[in-house]
Structure formats: structure tokens, C-alpha cells
Amino acid sequence: MAVAEAQVYAKVTKKGRSRNSSALLESLLAKGFPAHTAQKALAATGQKTIEDATRWLHSHCNDPSLDDPIPQEYALYLCPTGPLHNHLQEFWKESKRQCGRNRAHETFPHITLCDFFTCEDQKVELLYDTLKRVSDSFSHCFPPSISLSLHSSTSYLGFFVGDRHANILKELALTFSSEASALADCRVKPCLKQLHLTLAHKFYPHHQKTLEQLAKCINPEESCQWVAALYSRDMRFVHYQTLRALFQYKPQNIDELMINAGDFIYVDPTQQSEVSEGWVIGTSHRTGCRGFLPENYTERANESDTWVKHREYVLVTASRSFTQTENEPTEKLNGEVQNPSISRSTDNGLSLQSATLPRGVLVTRHGERVDQVFGKAWLQQCLTADGKYYRADLNFPSTLPKRKDGMKHFEQDPPLSSCGIFQSRLTGEALLDQEVTVSSVYSSPALCCIQTAQHLLQGLQLDQKVKIRVEPGLFGWSKWETSRIIPAFMTLAELAEASYKIDPSYRGNFPLSSLIPSESYEEYVSRSSAVINQIISACPSTGKGVILIVGHGSSLASLTRPLLGLPAKDSSNLAQVARKIPSLGMCFCEEVKKENKWQMVNPPVKTLTHGANAAFNWRNGLLED
């Protein structure tokens, strides 16, 4: 047994089952389900309906852990509802847009009353009874509003609860903890330190001022109804990343995972280093099964998306109060705005369509290359006996540009595939739809990057107006070149002869001769920092338009981090980041001129996701009996 699994099992206490079986459990037993799996299904679905539990059991019929005695973990939160909740959710959305994700985005607005604790499946109903009884007893003394004051530091931003009201909440938490521990025989730890409602946590220090400005737009005295809510999560995946499936994927091999659109997948970041590029290995929240799946079929989700709300109790000062009914469906929070009608101050956000468009830098990876599809020996697949190129598959380009040093150099400097050309043009058209104005284009000398830039400009309908500036300093980390040499790139004259719209007057900041094989990571970081600063300096700060940079997977981090004032990632982390960047993956930085800084915001368009399409021979299978 693995160490992590042993630790999980060590937390499971072996105690006697409750003698009282609920009507829900009796119904599942009557259907023929074993008692221990029926109780697990009820706990995993919040003990709402027979249909929910039955559906869970059918979905988990191949779950290898179905019979394992691993309980859920539970936590008691105090959650805001009403106008205050809506404004907090708007802060969540805007802070993510302007400053990127931080730890607070993993959950939803709440004040923690009791940290996560384990409770045996057959004793969960006792927690419900305890919550109802304690909430009833505190309704008469619960304050009409909770005093909240803003607190800020270089890594934390949130509201602190005033001492007088905090004492009431701590007493409520202590009472629930004491009674739940005694009745359900579990160890519940109340939160007795500074009670708080976190707005942002573990963010970059240079984002502190922006986050503070957004937080000051929240009125903590806004009308609010507070709710005591009991949530649960799967304790095995606490430190995993949560992904959401965007599309259905049907396995092609026995070790691959079946996913449906909307499924949540648990992924252990420490287990991905040996997985093939473009794939991850994860466990399905819906089925409990584990396997490989294409990473570009997923997007990052919040930790709390897989949590289950069991019961909630509205804390009111009047005598009337209520709890959730048994028949209400399982609820999952995703941290998105619940009330889209809430207005937002235009001072808080910057729009790409704004008339006062700030200077922006759009860094994108090149499109799909032929070697990514057909392997490093792709050229051998499409050469005739006399060395002439032919299109061996429709995803090979129809022709290759002429180069004086022979076609063999395409092996180290491969072109885009047909899909890569389509990706690039489609992305350019999407940028045009979003009214993105590109004022200048810089490209790595790699052919795939120059072709990507060309087709992006065609999609933008700018190929006759804006020319491509070939900048050798934008080439990727040379240590990653398998040949351990700098590729022989096409010359500017050859590119122009092949009808690529190259700016012949541009002289790169780094000549090709300055690129050295197997450069150190420090040399690559220094080169990337210097070239982005020189590009920014060369482009007018008052011009209306976006600086488009076409580079490699590593470019998105190595070019933007110095622009944002962030230190370089270490080399191993850069490799992990680069392998996750899809074809035409992009990031966007905006200049905040008043503060003399840059910030990263959402790109103007989303990336194109597509699935694998295997080679097909009509003879195979069609004529066989």
C-alpha cells in the first residue's frame, strides 16, 4: 500500500454502526445494494434522494475503491447570501480577471466555523441533527449583521470579524463541535482564532494594490442573510488539482479514462512528469475510475466544485427559521457570479474594445507542427525515391517553401501541419471578431512561428498592412533542441521569395550568430528578459494597438514574467508549464500606465481544442469478414 493511501486509511476509525437506519438506506437495501456501499453513496450525495444515491452507485460500479472504508471529510461554514454575496462573487470574478487565480478562488465566500473533519458514513445524520439543534438555539442571539473590517497584507486580503460578533460565532462553533463530537463520535475542531472572510490569498505582492482597490468597492454592511452550511469532500484528493472536462472522450486504449462533458477529474501534479505531452492521468469524480485523458479536453476548475452541500440553516434573529428539506438536490458551488444583473463599475476593468485601449502584448505559441503529429522522422514519410516532396497525408502541407540549403534542414526547422495553418487563420479571424487591432508582429526565426504569424495576419485581414519582424532572440531555450545545435533557419530572402510578409528593414536585437547551442538556463532567461524589454521600448507607448509575439511554449512564461516584474521560474517548472501550452495557446498583458506596470488579463479569444484523428486505410476492416 502506498504511503498516501496508508495515511488515508489511518484516519478511518473502526467503530460500531448506528442502529438507526434512515428510510433512504432502507430503500437502497431493498434494491439489493450492500449496506456499506449504500451508506457511502448516501454520504457522497448529501443524503438527498434515492435517485441521487442510486445513480451514484451505478456510476461507481467499476470504482476500485467502492468497498474501501474511507469516509467523507466535513466542514461547517458560515456563508453570506443576498446582495453581499453577489458583490463578493463579483470581486471573485474581477480579481481573477485582473490578477489571475489565487488560493481564494478555489472555494467560495465563507467564514470557517469548523475545519474539515471525518465522520463515518452511518453517522452523518447525527451531524444534521446537531446542526439544526445548535442553529435553533443561537437564532435568538445571532446579530442582525456581522461587523467586518478590511485587512490587507502582501499575501492575504480579507474581512476580519469584529470581536463582539466573533465571540458569538465562536460559541456557535464550539457548541456544534462539542455536540457533534459526542453524538457522532468524531473529532471536530472549532475555529477559535481570528475569524475572517478571505478575499484573496497567496497572490503576487505586486497585485496587492489592485486587489485592495477592488475590495474597497465592497460594502461589508450590505444586506445579508447568513447561512450555516455543512459541506463534504473526498479526503483522498485534498491536494490534487481539479479539472473540468469540456468535451466527451471515448478511450482508444484500455488505460485511458472515459469522460463526459462536465465531468470533474482529480489530478495529482506530482504524478504528471512521466506522462506523454498533451496527456494527464487522473481519477474521475463521477465514476471513481482512473486513467489517461487528453489535457486539452479539460480546463482548470475550483476545488469546491466537487464538494457536496449536505444541509444549510438560515440564521435569523426572529423566531422563524428553516433548514433544507430532504428532497432538495445536491448543490455544488463553482465560484461564478450568481446574479449577472449586478452592475460593475467600469473603473475596475479594462476592456479590449474600450475606446481608450491601453498598450497590450499578446504572446502566443505557434500552431501544430508536422513533427508533433508524424514524429521527428516525418520528412522520410513524404519524400520520393529521387528526394522530391509529396503529400503523404492530408495533414502534411501541400507544398514546402524552397530553401537553398536543401530540404534536410526542415527536419530541425519543421513547418506547420495543415491543421496548424487552419488553427492560425481561425485564431486570427477570432481576433478580428473581437476587434483586436494588431500594430506590430514579432516572430521567432523558426519556420512554424513565421507561418503562424503569417496566417494570423491573414485571419486579421492585416497581411497587406503589417509585416513580420523576425527576432532571433525569441527562439526557445536551445538546450531543448534534440540535435544540440541551432537549426539552420530560412533566410529573410528565402522567406520573402516564399511570399511571407517579412519586414526586410528590421534588424533583430539578437543576431542569429548570438544564439548558442545548449545555452544555460540563466542565459535563456537573460535573453528573454532583454528581448521583451527591447521590443516594448521600440513600440510607441501612445499607439493604439496590440504587440503580437509568436514564439514557443516556453515564451508565454519567459517573456511575460519579466514584463510583470516576476522572477523567472526554475528550469524544471518551466518545462512543466511549457508542455501544457497547446498550439496557439496565448496570454495577454496590459500596460497600467498610471502605475508604470503591466498586468496579465484574460486573452481576447479562447484557444482551439480538437481531438486526435487516427490514420485510416479503407482496406482495414471494410473488406474483411
Side-chain angles (χ1 to χ4, degrees), residues 78 123 196 227 438:
L78 188 67
K123 296 181 179 181
H196 55 274
V227 174
V438 171

Side-chain angles (χ1 to χ4, degrees), residues 81-123:
T81 64
L84 177 59
H85 171 268
N86 292 333
H87 288 304
L88 289 168
Q89 292 286 44
E90 186 64 21
F91 172 88
W92 248 245
K93 179 180 179 181
E94 193 59 31
S95 63
K96 185 186 295 185
R97 190 190 78 84
Q98 294 197 33
C99 304
R101 292 177 66 96
N102 62 67
R103 287 293 299 275
H105 292 127
E106 291 293 333
T107 57
F108 42 83
H110 68 275
I111 298 171
T112 303
L113 297 180
C114 294
D115 287 322
F116 277 100
F117 60 92
T118 58
C119 179
E120 293 178 89
D121 295 338
Q122 64 268 32
K123 296 181 179 181

Side-chain angles (χ1 to χ4, degrees), residues 408-443:
K408 64 177 182 178
H409 289 293
F410 281 124
E411 290 183 342
Q412 301 303 323
D413 186 25
L416 293 181
S417 66
S418 295
C419 284
I421 293 171
F422 170 74
Q423 287 173 326
S424 305
R425 194 167 300 172
L426 186 65
T427 302
E429 292 171 355
L431 291 169
L432 178 65
D433 289 341
Q434 292 298 314
E435 301 179 1
V436 175
T437 302
V438 171
S439 60
S440 53
V441 178
Y442 292 82
S443 172

Side-chain angles (χ1 to χ4, degrees), residues 616-625:
F616 172 67
N617 187 325
W618 62 271
R619 296 180 185 276
N620 296 339
L622 299 183
L623 300 181
E624 298 174 0
D625 294 329

Side-chain angles (χ1 to χ4, degrees), residues 186-377:
C186 50
R187 297 179 180 179
V188 184
K189 182 181 178 181
C191 291
L192 301 179
K193 296 182 179 180
Q194 175 67 62
L195 296 184
H196 55 274
L197 191 158
T198 299
L199 297 176
H201 181 42
K202 291 190 176 179
F203 49 84
Y204 289 115
H206 70 277
H207 285 147
Q208 181 180 0
K209 187 174 180 180
T210 301
L211 292 168
E212 285 178 355
Q213 291 174 343
L214 291 174
K216 289 176 181 177
C217 297
I218 304 171
N219 179 11
E221 298 179 359
E222 189 77 64
S223 174
C224 176
Q225 186 75 70
W226 292 91
V227 174
L230 189 67
Y231 287 89
S232 75
R233 67 183 183 187
D234 193 320
M235 63 191 295
R236 296 172 297 170
F237 305 111
V238 171
H239 299 296
Y240 283 46
Q241 284 185 353
T242 305
L243 304 179
R244 180 189 290 105
L246 297 171
F247 314 101
Q248 183 186 60
Y249 180 74
K250 295 181 179 180
Q252 308 296 312
N253 298 290
I254 194 171
D255 59 352
E256 294 175 3
L257 183 65
M258 171 70 184
I259 57 173
N260 293 328
D263 280 0
F264 293 104
I265 312 297
Y266 299 113
V267 172
D268 184 354
T270 65
Q271 296 179 356
Q272 306 307 312
S273 58
E274 301 301 323
V275 179
S276 300
E277 182 177 357
W279 292 79
V280 293
I281 184 168
T283 302
S284 169
H285 170 72
R286 179 176 59 86
T287 66
C289 296
R290 177 178 169 86
F292 294 94
L293 66 150
E295 188 174 19
N296 63 352
Y297 274 49
T298 66
E299 65 178 358
R300 180 76 180 274
N302 299 325
E303 177 188 334
S304 60
D305 286 346
T306 60
W307 294 0
V308 176
K309 183 192 288 184
H310 286 251
R311 295 295 183 272
E312 65 177 12
Y313 206 96
V314 179
L315 294 162
V316 294
T317 53
S319 59
R320 182 178 62 84
S321 58
F322 64 95
T323 185
Q324 265 192 318
T325 63
E326 292 286 330
N327 294 324
E328 287 182 343
T330 302
E331 292 189 42
K332 298 173 184 176
L333 300 187
N334 58 19
E336 296 299 322
V337 178
Q338 302 297 311
N339 186 356
S341 65
I342 297 299
S343 62
R344 181 175 71 192
S345 169
T346 56
D347 293 335
N348 293 341
L350 296 174
S351 170
L352 286 172
Q353 290 75 32
S354 170
T356 57
L357 181 69
R359 188 164 55 156
V361 175
L362 183 63
V363 184
T364 182
R365 186 188 184 187
H366 57 74
E368 179 185 86
R369 293 193 314 255
V370 290
D371 63 315
Q372 293 174 304
V373 183
F374 301 103
K376 295 296 182 183

Side-chain angles (χ1 to χ4, degrees), residues 98-100 153-155 202-213 560-567 589-590 592 595-600:
Q98 294 197 33
C99 304
S153 70
T154 55
S155 63
K202 291 190 176 179
F203 49 84
Y204 289 115
H206 70 277
H207 285 147
Q208 181 180 0
K209 187 174 180 180
T210 301
L211 292 168
E212 285 178 355
Q213 291 174 343
T560 59
R561 291 183 70 87
L563 197 60
L564 299 171
L566 300 176
C589 294
E590 284 181 340
V592 185
E595 300 179 20
N596 193 29
K597 70 174 187 179
W598 291 77
Q599 65 180 5
M600 189 173 288

